Amino acid sequence: MVKNICLLVVLILSGCSEGPLFEDFSHKGAKSEKEFLVDSQKCEKEKNKHSNKIQGREFGFEGQDTGYLGCMKLEGWSKKTI
């Protein structure tokens, strides 16, 4: 019972995470936040395309966000590093 409750809490917290933020990316042409949101939504829809995953890997990305980050890179966006 306790394990089920803990699992439920983890699922709820992970499901409520925010999407990518404008502040986490930079654009080579200095696009606005509104343009970021348009590009981000497009890439979110297309992240599972095989071509985006391949491009993401070629850019050096790994993990579940490879397709999204590859698409964003093709749109001119670069994820800022901390």
Side-chain angles (χ1 to χ4, degrees):
M1 180 73 176
V2 174
K3 288 182 182 180
N4 290 339
I5 292 173
C6 291
L7 181 61
L8 181 62
V9 169
V10 169
L11 289 174
I12 290 172
L13 292 176
S14 65
C16 298
S17 63
E18 292 182 20
L21 300 175
F22 174 70
E23 295 80 22
D24 295 338
F25 287 83
S26 62
H27 191 273
K28 61 183 177 184
K31 284 188 172 182
S32 69
E33 185 170 0
K34 186 176 181 179
E35 292 168 308
F36 167 79
L37 293 174
V38 170
D39 289 343
S40 182
Q41 287 176 345
K42 174 188 170 230
C43 289
E44 191 63 40
K45 290 178 187 174
E46 297 182 0
K47 69 181 179 184
N48 290 323
K49 280 188 171 179
H50 188 66
S51 59
N52 286 334
K53 289 182 179 182
I54 290 172
Q55 285 289 254
R57 288 186 198 110
E58 288 179 359
F59 291 132
F61 301 120
E62 296 178 355
Q64 69 182 30
D65 294 331
T66 301
Y68 173 81
L69 294 172
C71 178
M72 289 296 280
K73 187 78 167 177
L74 291 173
E75 295 295 325
W77 294 97
S78 296
K79 186 153 175 75
K80 296 177 183 175
T81 56
I82 298 174

